[in-house]
């Protein structure tokens, strides 16, 4: 046996230690977010953000964030709900919820200046120096304000090309003092937008309950219901074909109301294909959440969606996620359960959801799938993954 090359072993161990230290330092940098990464002048997507080949998006041409064809979502004119054409509007709404799980709303009553101010102040927040944004970083999922990166940065094996600011909006007067005080008009502009979203959500839910033919009693539950606003920033990405702004997922609440700037990026899975949703000026994109799928006993379904990034433009979106109070148990509406249409989902609540995402990598519709009931001839099995 030859002599042990002590010097070679020492060199190898030293190189390993250096590599581990570089990885540790790199991980710390990634935790600061992609906005910070871009500010350092990154020209290639770091390995931490590169998806396995089967999960990567199809980018038609360099810098393009659209697929080979785009989807024209149903557009619901909310002004018709206050006219003799209400029945026609409700029918269109029901079709959109069943067929697409997504739709756009116009004539919604939210002033254009409130919308423009929200986009503007969001851009200015993410344009502040990292040291200012860092003040709001938190790993506490229940924090009233949380700045972070990726999708679930604690659990994500591959990071997403996205930074976010999450703002709890309920009760607004209690959480507002915790919100960012910079830019100086952040709280004023954002609270005006949050109030508008709450009103619009309740109008939509009133119409949806009517379209389902269930009691309107549930509407009062939303007065003090949960309301989370997520301000997303998707900076230009040097290699958008290697990563995603957000992975395929569904939303956990009843409805999500999304405001986009005029940069495309949102994609919906429709008939097993990923299709891009073109922004419509002044409109909101609305999608069914997991809670509404459970409440409707599967009549209306939450749909997988994801976000593409591009190499040319920064993209801002603001998602308002609404549901019942966090302590409320969500279950299928009694009117929608019968012998011919048995209960399809277990009851659930927000605590169950938080425990789930804290213990596993949250992706696709795996939380909702965990709440499904599987019925056989002899027994009912709860929580089996489909």
């Amino acid at each position: 046996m030859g002599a042990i090359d002590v010097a070679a072993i020492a060199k190898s161990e030293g190189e390993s230690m250096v590599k581990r230290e570089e990885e540790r330092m790199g991980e710390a940098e990634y935790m600061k977010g992609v906005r910070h990464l871009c500010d350092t002048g990154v020209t290639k997507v770091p390995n931490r953000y590169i998806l396995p080949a089967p999960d990567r998006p199809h980018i038609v041409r360099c810098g393009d964030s659209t697929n080979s064809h785009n989807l024209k979502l149903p557009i619901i004119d909310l002004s018709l709900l206050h006219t003799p054409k209400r029945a026609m509007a409700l029918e269109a709404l029901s079709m959109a919820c069943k067929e697409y799980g997504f739709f756009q709303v116009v004539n919604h009553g939210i002033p254009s200046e409130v919308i423009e101010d929200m986009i503007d102040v969001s851009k200015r927040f993410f344009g502040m120096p990292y040291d200012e944004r860092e003040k709001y970083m938190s790993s506490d999922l229940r924090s009233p304000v949380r700045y972070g990166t990726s999708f679930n940065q604690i659990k994500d094996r591959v990071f997403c090309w996205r930074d976010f600011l999450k703002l709890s909006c309920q009760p607004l007067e209690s959480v507002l003092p915790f919100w960012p005080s910079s830019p100086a008009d952040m709280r004023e502009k954002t609270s005006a937008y949050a109030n508008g979203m709450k009103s619009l959500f309740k109008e939509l839910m009133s119409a949806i309950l009517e379209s389902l033919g269930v009691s309107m009693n549930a509407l009062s539950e939303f007065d003090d219901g949960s309301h989370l606003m997520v301000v997303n920033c998707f900076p230009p990405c040097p290699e958008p074909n290697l990563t995603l702004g957000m992975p395929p997922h569904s939303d956990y609440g009843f409805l999500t109301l999304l405001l986009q700037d005029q940069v495309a990026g949102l994609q919906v899975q429709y008939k097993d294909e990923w299709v891009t949703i073109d922004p419509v000026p002044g409109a909101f994109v609305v999608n069914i959440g997991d809670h509404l799928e459970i409440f409707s006993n599967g009549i209306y379904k939450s749909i997988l969606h994801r976000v593409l990034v591009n190499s040319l433009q920064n993209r801002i979106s603001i998602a308002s996620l609404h549901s019942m109070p966090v302590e409320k148990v969500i279950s299928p509406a009694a009117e929608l359960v019968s012998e011919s249409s048995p209960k399809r989902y277990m009851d659930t609540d927000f605590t169950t959801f938080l425990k789930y995402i804290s213990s596993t990598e949250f992706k696709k519709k795996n939380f909702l799938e965990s709440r499904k009931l599987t019925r056989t001839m002899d027994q009912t099995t709860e929580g089996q993954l489909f």
Side-chain angles (χ1 to χ4, degrees):
M1 181 179 294
I4 297 175
D5 191 337
V6 177
I9 293 176
K11 180 181 178 182
S12 176
E13 290 178 346
E15 289 174 346
S16 296
M17 289 179 64
V18 170
K19 184 177 180 180
R20 286 196 296 271
E21 180 63 15
E22 289 176 347
E23 289 175 349
R24 186 189 67 79
M25 293 177 65
E27 192 70 13
E29 287 297 297
Y30 303 150
M31 287 293 182
K32 294 179 181 179
V34 285
R35 178 76 271 166
H36 173 77
L37 201 61
C38 291
D39 290 342
T40 65
V42 64
T43 58
K44 293 185 71 65
V45 172
N47 288 336
R48 190 70 164 86
Y49 296 85
I50 297 178
L51 289 163
D55 298 332
R56 295 174 193 171
H58 171 60
I59 304 296
V60 178
R61 58 185 181 273
C62 183
D64 189 3
S65 64
T66 61
N67 207 327
S68 56
H69 61 282
N70 294 5
L71 179 66
K72 299 297 184 183
L73 287 178
I75 295 180
I76 307 299
D77 184 345
L78 292 187
S79 67
L80 296 180
L81 293 174
H82 309 286
T83 72
K85 295 183 178 180
R86 180 179 178 87
M88 183 179 71
L90 289 174
E91 184 178 349
L93 177 63
S94 179
M95 183 280 293
C97 292
K98 290 176 180 177
E99 175 71 14
Y100 296 91
F102 271 78
F103 54 92
Q104 302 208 51
V105 294
V106 296
N107 294 325
H108 41 64
I110 307 299
S112 59
E113 59 268 24
V114 172
I115 293 173
E116 292 164 3
D117 285 349
M118 187 64 216
I119 292 287
D120 175 66
V121 78
S122 299
K123 289 179 178 178
R124 286 187 282 122
F125 173 83
F126 286 106
M128 293 193 306
Y130 170 72
D131 290 347
E132 280 294 316
R133 304 194 306 272
E134 182 190 23
K135 296 175 183 178
Y136 305 102
M137 278 194 164
S138 172
S139 59
D140 181 4
L141 297 179
R142 294 181 180 271
S143 175
V145 56
R146 188 158 66 93
Y147 177 72
T149 192
S150 192
F151 189 68
N152 182 350
Q153 66 198 73
I154 305 301
K155 297 291 181 181
D156 290 343
R157 287 173 288 182
V158 178
F159 270 20
C160 298
W161 201 263
R162 168 223 189 196
D163 292 343
F164 62 79
L165 176 67
K166 294 188 176 182
L167 300 172
S168 175
C169 303
Q170 182 65 33
L172 190 57
E173 62 276 7
S174 298
V175 297
L176 195 57
F178 296 97
W179 286 9
S181 54
S182 295
D185 57 349
M186 180 81 180
R187 293 177 183 175
E188 175 194 353
K189 304 300 187 187
T190 308
S191 60
Y193 181 81
N195 282 327
M197 290 300 95
K198 185 76 170 187
S199 297
L200 179 56
F201 164 70
K202 291 187 65 179
E203 181 178 11
L204 285 166
M205 279 308 307
S206 175
I208 284 173
L209 293 177
E210 186 175 346
S211 74
L212 286 169
V214 301
S215 169
M216 300 298 285
N217 291 337
L219 199 59
S220 62
E221 297 277 2
F222 297 115
D223 290 338
D224 298 317
S226 66
H227 179 187
L228 177 69
M229 188 149 55
V230 185
V231 186
N232 299 301
C233 177
F234 306 98
C237 176
E239 297 174 291
N241 58 314
L242 298 180
T243 190
L244 284 168
M246 292 183 75
H249 68 284
S250 62
D251 297 337
Y252 74 87
F254 266 73
L255 291 179
T256 297
L257 282 57
L258 181 73
L259 172 63
Q260 307 182 80
D261 61 13
Q262 293 308 299
V263 180
L266 173 65
Q267 286 197 320
V268 171
Q269 192 172 67
Y270 181 69
K271 296 183 177 179
D272 297 322
E273 290 188 19
W274 287 109
V275 287
T276 299
I277 306 302
D278 283 332
V280 173
F284 292 99
V285 176
V286 181
N287 65 278
I288 305 302
D290 294 346
H291 284 178
L292 183 50
E293 178 169 335
I294 292 172
F295 181 83
S296 70
N297 203 31
I299 296 174
Y300 295 166
K301 287 185 167 55
S302 65
I303 301 297
L304 286 176
H305 50 288
R306 68 181 188 180
V307 177
L308 302 186
V309 290
N310 71 86
S311 62
L312 301 177
Q313 296 176 286
N314 189 71
R315 179 173 181 268
I316 294 289
S317 71
I318 299 99
S320 294
L321 292 86
H322 300 263
S323 191
M324 289 185 175
V326 293
E327 69 276 7
K328 178 71 177 180
V329 174
I330 310 297
S331 59
E335 300 96 322
L336 303 177
V337 177
S338 64
E339 186 175 346
S340 61
S341 181
K343 183 177 180 180
R344 296 188 175 100
Y345 304 86
M346 286 187 287
D347 296 352
T348 191
D349 58 17
F350 188 62
T351 300
T352 304
F353 174 75
L354 285 183
K355 287 180 179 178
Y356 189 90
I357 64 173
S358 297
S359 63
T360 188
E361 186 178 15
F362 182 63
K363 58 184 179 180
K364 296 190 176 180
K365 292 179 66 172
N366 54 0
F367 173 72
L368 183 66
E369 297 296 336
S370 75
R371 310 311 296 167
K372 284 185 175 179
L373 298 173
T374 305
R375 295 184 180 273
T376 66
M377 293 180 61
D378 301 316
Q379 62 183 6
T380 298
T381 303
E382 294 193 347
Q384 180 173 320
L385 292 177
F386 281 39

